Amino acid sequence: QVQLVESGGGLVQTGGSLRLSCAASGRTFSWYAMGWFRQAPGKEREFVATISGSGGSTDYADSVKGRFTISRDNAKNTVYLQMNSLKPEDTAVYYCAARRSRGLPYALSHYDYWGQGTQVTVSS
């Protein structure tokens, strides 16, 4: 069982930056690929970024490429999402998720564990 707790959300102006963190329980964090997803009001939850267990592989949704960076610190059981050049359309609840996998999971259904989410609001 893996428990995930996100933090770092908040209110920021267009063009600003935020760093989200997701702390995971357990002693085998490096066995898990991690992902970030987001859900805006009235919309479905969508993929944002994913990182392999070692941190050696990452991938992003086209909408955030070049602006967001996913990283992890396995010694701290934490995954991060650095968000730069934020836009109003980035406003959403952001969720981290975990899957015991060697690859890069992209689909919601591929992930086994989810955090409770953290709100990100970008004002125009």
Side-chain angles (χ1 to χ4, degrees):
Q1 192 78 2
V2 176
Q3 292 184 326
L4 304 173
V5 180
E6 302 98 333
S7 61
L11 174 65
V12 64
Q13 292 185 333
T14 296
S17 298
L18 282 175
R19 188 175 82 155
L20 305 183
S21 299
C22 174
S25 64
R27 295 179 291 178
T28 56
F29 183 61
S30 62
W31 293 2
Y32 290 82
M34 301 295 295
W36 285 98
F37 291 77
R38 66 186 181 186
Q39 187 166 17
K43 295 188 177 181
E44 294 185 349
R45 194 171 299 188
E46 64 176 7
F47 166 78
V48 174
T50 181
I51 187 167
S52 62
S54 67
S57 297
T58 60
D59 205 358
Y60 300 88
D62 287 344
S63 58
V64 306
K65 276 182 182 176
R67 300 188 298 122
F68 290 11
T69 302
I70 189 171
S71 62
R72 64 191 297 159
D73 184 338
N74 286 346
K76 295 182 178 180
N77 280 18
T78 302
V79 63
Y80 305 97
L81 186 68
Q82 177 67 43
M83 305 185 295
N84 298 329
S85 302
L86 283 161
K87 306 174 181 180
E89 51 264 44
D90 294 317
T91 295
V93 177
Y94 282 72
Y95 299 88
C96 71
R99 173 181 172 86
R100 185 167 173 173
S101 170
R102 294 182 180 272
L104 292 177
Y106 291 86
L108 274 74
S109 60
H110 291 171
Y111 285 86
D112 303 308
Y113 304 100
W114 292 84
Q116 82 290 347
T118 185
Q119 177 71 47
V120 171
T121 303
V122 184
S123 64
S124 57

